[in-house]
Amino acid sequence: MKTAAPPKHSKILILDFGSQYTQVIARRVRELQVYSEVVPFNVPAAEIKKLQPNGIILSGGPASVYDKGAPQIDPEIFSLGVPVLGICYGLMQMAYHLGGQVVFTGRREYGAGMLHIANGSQLFDGLGHQLDVWNSHGDEVTALPKGFVAAGTTESSNFAAVEDRQRKLYGLQFHPEVAHTPRGKEILQNFVYHICRCPMDWTMGSFIEEACDRVRQQVGDENIVLGLSGGVDSSVVAALLHKAIGDQLTCIFVNNGLLRAREEEVVQRVFGENFHIKLKYVDASKRFLEKLRGVTDPEKKRKVIGEEFIRVFEDAIADLGAPQTSNLKHQTFRFLAQGTLYPDVIESVSIGGNPSQVIKTHHNVGGLPEKMHFQLVEPVRQLFKDEVRQVGLQLGLPNEIVYRQPFPGPGLAVRILGEVTPERLSILREADTIVQSEMEAAGWYYKVWQSFAVLLPIQTVGVMGDQRTYENTVALRIVESQDGMTADWVRVPYELLARISSRVSNEVKGVNRVVFDISSKPPSTIEWE
Ligand code: XMP
């Protein structure tokens, strides 16, 4: 089990039983300015004890406690003297292992319900007598373990909320972490602040100080190299490492020729001129475009770009090392920094689910560490995306970097269907610039997950003045999403669509038609390739 707990904080551990909401619980606790960490459900009590949590939350999960192979907690955890809150399946675990009775109802109860609060539980302090709650469960508690009393009931359950105050064990059949339980945050707050007695000591200011200390300890006086893409994660890592170790950090920014308009200017201005970070700018556009000549298959494009990136990066490092010794690929920089985030680190528990499949190959800097024997520096691996953004703002990064929309590693190549040529790149760049500026002007850019143009490999007939035209089609993709895993197209105002369409078809030479993509993910993906 990998844990990355910072030493000086109070901490809530979340045992993951496979719920789709596990990470949401972790985020809700962090929003209370208390550090939380997700660990697998089967961590032994002895290890939990070593981690010294102030409280434990048991997540929900899709299983029934009676299923063959159902995830089971180490029951010793309930005797550690640490407060525990079981949510949904977590409650079932509590009841099942402590001698209560759980029945499998054979149906899952979904949806809104009304909780009637009884017995003045500390969990519901300040919340009145009844609450709207969101249910999603299959098992049900029918008899309580010794020492427990009901703390709340719903129409369908006498034990929708239960507690053993003496042992500080609490259970909820409903989900306090989801938005459909409107006052759920206050329930978690009562648990975290009052029952677990956690102070609010998880702030991004203290994180920055501690992260800087950790990095200094890890690298000493060695040098770190970072592949800076201009995206939020690597940008925040650059600013953070610069604060920690100054000129021991060198960033390499590769222009693969597939960037948006003026992207290289923005990155050089922000990091080179404003932050005075050592920045090696590598214009490798020609290399990439040569390799992409004649390539039309989407996966082949991604592969070519990923491989070329590694070569360019290796060459850049060799260049940087050259003046000091002759064979320095591995000596000048012993450390490679990466913008790995907490969701990539959590060991995911898959219970009765399918292992997720590779739908598209994501090529960013994957493959670099193995090939080049770097040690990794991952200073934001404890953070969720919204926390990374806060850190970025505190370090003085501008909004245009901190709140920018995600941009895929293979860049505009996966938005040009068919062959990537300089002409087609320039058409797409112009269209993309118009899309971005109109989205910004209308106040929509920061409200959506992504908004971009795609250049299709078809030409259609149009009319310009008295002339017949036969030109390219641009598709407009505007989506909302939480994490890129699922997405829906955004119902932006028609006037905005009209402005974008008219500007793109009038101003971008070579385009005479604009279409709007109204597909959700699934079944479509966000990018077209
Ligand atoms: P898809 O197209 O798979 O995209 O629905 C989901 C999200 O991931 C982004 N994306 C990438 N990001 N490297 C990245 O860093 C990649 O190769 C890559 N491919 C897609 C995409 O923009 C969307 O936000």
Side-chain angles (χ1 to χ4, degrees):
M1 184 189 58
K2 287 182 223 100
T3 54
K8 298 169 216 138
H9 291 289
S10 54
K11 168 169 53 190
I12 298 290
L13 281 187
I14 295 152
L15 265 57
D16 181 16
F17 289 90
S19 165
Q20 56 177 321
Y21 301 126
T22 303
Q23 287 194 30
V24 180
I25 304 173
R27 280 161 69 171
R28 291 290 161 271
V29 174
R30 297 233 190 146
E31 283 162 15
L32 300 174
Q33 295 186 17
V34 173
Y35 183 70
S36 68
E37 207 173 287
V38 177
V39 297
F41 65 87
N42 53 3
V43 178
E47 268 193 60
I48 300 266
K49 195 174 172 192
K50 275 190 222 149
L51 295 171
Q52 299 182 343
N54 302 62
I56 297 170
I57 297 179
L58 314 180
S59 84
S64 160
V65 289
Y66 298 112
D67 285 346
K68 207 165 144 248
Q72 305 291 355
I73 194 171
D74 176 350
E76 287 299 313
I77 287 174
F78 298 118
S79 314
L80 291 175
V82 178
V84 181
L85 173 65
I87 294 175
C88 193
Y89 184 80
L91 161 63
M92 303 308 149
Q93 281 289 297
M94 204 175 251
Y96 179 68
H97 287 284
L98 293 175
Q101 208 169 40
V102 176
V103 296
F104 176 56
T105 56
R107 65 190 155 81
R108 278 191 86 83
E109 183 190 352
Y110 288 105
M114 180 66 74
L115 180 80
H116 300 278
I117 294 168
N119 290 327
S121 170
Q122 217 180 345
L123 214 44
F124 303 116
D125 265 359
L127 290 172
H129 299 293
Q130 49 186 35
L131 281 183
D132 291 317
V133 298
W134 181 258
N135 288 298
S136 161
H137 61 96
D139 290 346
E140 205 174 304
V141 178
T142 49
L144 291 178
K146 215 161 149 257
F148 275 79
V149 296
T153 59
T154 59
E155 204 162 275
S156 61
S157 170
N158 290 330
F159 305 121
V162 304
E163 68 176 10
D164 176 341
R165 271 183 225 187
Q166 203 75 37
R167 288 189 283 176
K168 293 200 164 69
L169 303 178
Y170 299 80
L172 301 173
Q173 193 172 51
F174 59 91
H175 288 271
E177 71 276 23
V178 303
H180 297 301
T181 300
R183 301 190 71 182
K185 190 171 173 181
E186 290 164 78
I187 301 176
L188 291 174
Q189 211 166 331
N190 282 333
F191 179 69
V192 169
Y193 294 158
H194 303 310
I195 295 170
C196 303
R197 299 185 171 273
C198 293
M200 296 159 76
D201 55 10
W202 175 248
T203 64
M204 289 307 106
S206 67
F207 168 82
I208 291 171
E209 293 310 317
E210 283 172 25
C212 288
D213 284 348
R214 271 199 297 274
V215 169
R216 286 186 210 109
Q217 269 181 18
Q218 186 186 358
V219 305
D221 55 6
E222 297 277 348
N223 295 321
I224 303 186
V225 64
L226 167 70
L228 182 63
S229 69
V232 186
D233 306 340
S234 66
S235 297
V236 171
V237 169
L240 187 62
L241 292 179
H242 183 64
K243 181 176 168 66
I245 54 162
D247 276 353
Q248 283 165 259
L249 170 73
T250 302
C251 294
I252 297 179
F253 177 75
V254 174
N255 181 349
N256 58 9
L258 307 166
L259 304 174
R260 283 164 294 191
R262 286 186 296 283
E263 183 72 10
E264 65 277 17
E265 278 170 40
V266 173
V267 170
Q268 289 183 84
R269 172 168 49 78
V270 171
F271 293 95
E273 292 166 30
N274 293 5
F275 270 90
H276 306 294
I277 288 179
K278 271 203 229 163
L279 180 67
K280 182 172 173 72
Y281 170 70
V282 183
D283 185 356
S285 329
K286 281 215 182 84
R287 281 173 72 162
F288 280 90
L289 291 190
E290 266 160 33
K291 287 275 186 273
L292 282 169
R293 193 174 297 146
V295 179
T296 54
D297 177 70
E299 274 300 294
K300 179 94 194 290
K301 273 186 198 171
R302 284 174 174 269
K303 212 157 166 261
V304 165
I305 295 165
E307 286 171 3
E308 194 57 22
F309 181 85
I310 293 179
R311 269 181 224 121
V312 169
F313 201 82
E314 282 172 343
D315 290 351
I317 288 184
D319 271 2
L320 286 166
Q324 290 162 42
T325 87
S326 51
N327 178 21
L328 301 154
K329 274 191 185 168
H330 308 162
Q331 288 166 29
T332 310
F333 299 101
R334 186 162 296 170
F335 294 92
L336 174 77
Q338 283 190 344
T340 315
L341 301 192
Y342 194 47
D344 310 323
V345 176
I346 299 177
E347 291 170 63
S348 61
V349 171
S350 168
I351 289 151
N354 301 315
S356 54
Q357 291 178 355
V358 177
I359 311 281
K360 296 175 188 178
T361 327
H362 279 210
H363 287 295
N364 293 340
V365 289
L368 276 175
E370 295 96 79
K371 274 194 82 168
M372 301 182 72
H373 311 294
F374 284 117
Q375 288 178 43
L376 286 184
V377 177
E378 296 175 310
V380 295
R381 59 180 281 135
Q382 285 171 286
L383 303 188
F384 287 109
K385 192 90 171 183
D386 48 330
E387 294 174 317
V388 170
R389 291 207 167 97
Q390 287 173 46
V391 168
L393 290 177
Q394 289 210 11
L395 290 169
L397 286 174
N399 280 355
E400 81 182 300
I401 297 269
V402 170
Y403 289 108
R404 65 182 16 196
Q405 296 177 359
F407 186 66
L412 298 180
V414 292
R415 295 178 181 171
I416 294 178
L417 278 59
E419 190 179 358
V420 179
T421 62
E423 298 73 38
R424 307 198 72 198
L425 270 166
S426 122
I427 291 175
L428 183 57
R429 256 186 211 118
E430 274 185 57
D432 183 66
T433 305
I434 293 172
V435 173
Q436 275 202 57
S437 74
E438 288 299 332
M439 287 293 288
E440 275 174 34
W444 276 90
Y445 178 85
Y446 292 111
K447 285 192 207 160
V448 304
W449 174 260
Q450 274 171 307
S451 47
F452 57 86
V454 180
L455 183 58
L456 304 190
I458 43 170
Q459 291 182 300
T460 69
V461 174
V463 56
M464 182 86 83
D466 291 333
Q467 295 283 317
R468 174 189 184 278
T469 58
Y470 188 57
E471 303 276 25
N472 291 291
T473 305
V474 159
L476 179 61
R477 184 83 166 130
I478 307 178
V479 294
E480 58 193 2
S481 171
Q482 289 299 313
D483 50 14
M485 303 298 284
T486 59
D488 197 8
W489 60 281
V490 183
R491 278 64 166 173
V492 290
Y494 281 168
E495 294 70 35
L496 175 56
L497 293 177
R499 251 191 329 273
I500 292 174
S501 162
S502 122
R503 280 197 60 196
V504 169
S505 42
N506 285 311
E507 293 174 29
V508 183
K509 210 161 162 286
V511 176
N512 67 355
R513 189 175 300 269
V514 176
V515 295
F516 187 43
D517 182 349
I518 51 170
S519 325
S520 62
K521 173 185 180 175
S524 302
T525 50
I526 296 176
E527 304 290 346
W528 278 44
E529 286 194 337

